[in-house]
């Protein structure tokens, strides 16, 4: 583990696929033995896509997402970043402003090894420009004990890390108040973990509690396991 990772907030430690990992509130999954961060569903340029389609939404989400990612990598000393699909939101996301922000960000992190596992939005948006130096692969991408995927699926020999769903959970209080939070979802019988969406300008899908399913809520800079009942 790097010195930066030892100084960072530890997240919630556990084991997946026989490896020690941490579920981070950023949200991301940290694999310390390989100095690797896994994130899902960045959807960069989504706001630009909406504006191109005539929907008046605020700008600045791409820069905000890249700044959060830069801070996260610096905090843990990541040497590799694996994006579990949906790097860009759509073809309209490849605007001069979005591409300039990406190029500037990549120049600062030139030594970082980046792998994109193609997702459904990537098939429409197209691969990132080659000048970004991102290795683009199809699922499943096998890395150590993990099968990095975009779509949830089973794998015969590896623990699957996937995105696509944007999982969330609703916590209900005694006064009929409710709070919707992103969450990690570990499907024990399936050998699969779903990561919440990293991109800020994304929706989410509420998952119900179920046998063999462990849900880990993300909020206020923390990750905690939600009781199964």
């Amino acid at each position: 583990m790097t010195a930066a990772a030892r100084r960072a907030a530890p997240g919630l430690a556990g084991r997946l696929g026989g490896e020690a990992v941490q579920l981070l509130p950023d949200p991301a999954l940290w694999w310390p033995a390989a100095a690797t961060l896994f994130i899902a569903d960045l959807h960069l340029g989504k706001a630009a896509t909406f504006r191109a389609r005539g929907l008046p939404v605020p700008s600045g989400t791409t820069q905000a997402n890249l700044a959060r990612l830069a801070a996260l990598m610096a905090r843990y000393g990541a040497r590799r970043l694996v994006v579990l699909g949906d790097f860009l939101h759509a073809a309209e996301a490849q605007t001069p402003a979005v591409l300039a922000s990406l190029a500037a960000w990549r120049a600062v992190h030139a030594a970082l090894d980046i792998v994109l596992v193609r997702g459904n939005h990537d098939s429409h948006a197209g691969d990132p420009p080659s000048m970004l130096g991102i290795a683009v692969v199809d699922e499943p991408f096998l890395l150590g004990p993990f099968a990095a995927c975009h779509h949830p699926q089973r794998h015969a020999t590896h623990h699957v890390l996937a995105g696509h769903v944007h999982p969330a959970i609703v916590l209900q209080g005694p006064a009929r108040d409710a709070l919707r939070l992103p969450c990690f979802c570990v499907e024990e019988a399936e050998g699969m973990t779903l990561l919440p969406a990293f991109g800020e300008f994304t929706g989410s899908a509420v998952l119900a509690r179920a046998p063999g399913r462990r849900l880990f809520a993300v909020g206020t800079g923390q990750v905690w396991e939600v009781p199964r009942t």
Side-chain angles (χ1 to χ4, degrees), residues 130-216:
S130 58
M131 57 90 173
L132 294 177
I134 297 174
V136 184
V137 300
D138 292 321
E139 61 183 1
F141 171 64
L142 303 185
L143 189 62
F146 302 117
C149 303
H150 177 65
H151 299 91
Q153 58 196 270
R154 299 188 71 171
H155 194 278
T157 57
H158 289 62
H159 186 93
V160 170
L161 302 177
H164 185 60
V165 176
H166 303 195
I169 187 170
V170 173
L171 304 179
Q172 295 181 318
R176 297 185 179 179
D177 51 335
L179 181 63
R180 184 181 184 129
L181 294 172
C183 71
F184 293 87
C185 173
V186 179
E187 300 282 6
E188 296 175 314
E190 303 293 325
M192 176 177 65
T193 297
L194 304 180
L195 275 64
F198 188 88
E200 292 182 341
F201 193 45
T202 57
S204 61
V206 174
L207 300 183
R209 296 172 177 85
R213 172 179 290 174
R214 301 176 68 188
L215 300 175
F216 299 85

Side-chain angles (χ1 to χ4, degrees), residues 25-204:
D26 300 88
L29 187 145
W30 172 239
W31 179 20
T36 297
L37 276 171
F38 294 89
I39 64 170
D41 301 283
L42 261 171
H43 288 275
L44 294 175
K46 184 173 182 178
T49 300
F50 277 30
R51 289 193 298 275
R53 296 175 181 177
L55 298 174
V57 298
S59 61
T61 54
T62 292
Q63 291 88 342
N65 284 326
L66 292 176
R68 287 173 50 232
L69 185 53
L72 178 62
M73 294 187 309
R75 194 178 311 141
Y76 285 88
R79 296 194 296 269
R80 181 193 293 124
L81 173 69
V82 179
V83 182
L84 303 175
D86 292 358
F87 183 78
L88 292 167
H89 183 70
E92 297 98 318
Q94 297 203 40
T95 65
V98 169
L99 295 180
S101 295
L102 275 168
W105 182 89
R106 185 58 165 137
V108 175
H109 305 285
L112 181 70
D113 180 15
I114 306 179
V115 178
L116 167 63
V117 182
R118 286 189 183 95
N120 56 302
H121 278 265
D122 300 301
S123 64
H124 301 295
D127 292 345
S130 58
M131 57 90 173
L132 294 177
I134 297 174
V136 184
V137 300
D138 292 321
E139 61 183 1
F141 171 64
L142 303 185
L143 189 62
F146 302 117
C149 303
H150 177 65
H151 299 91
Q153 58 196 270
R154 299 188 71 171
H155 194 278
T157 57
H158 289 62
H159 186 93
V160 170
L161 302 177
H164 185 60
V165 176
H166 303 195
I169 187 170
V170 173
L171 304 179
Q172 295 181 318
R176 297 185 179 179
D177 51 335
L179 181 63
R180 184 181 184 129
L181 294 172
C183 71
F184 293 87
C185 173
V186 179
E187 300 282 6
E188 296 175 314
E190 303 293 325
M192 176 177 65
T193 297
L194 304 180
L195 275 64
F198 188 88
E200 292 182 341
F201 193 45
T202 57
S204 61

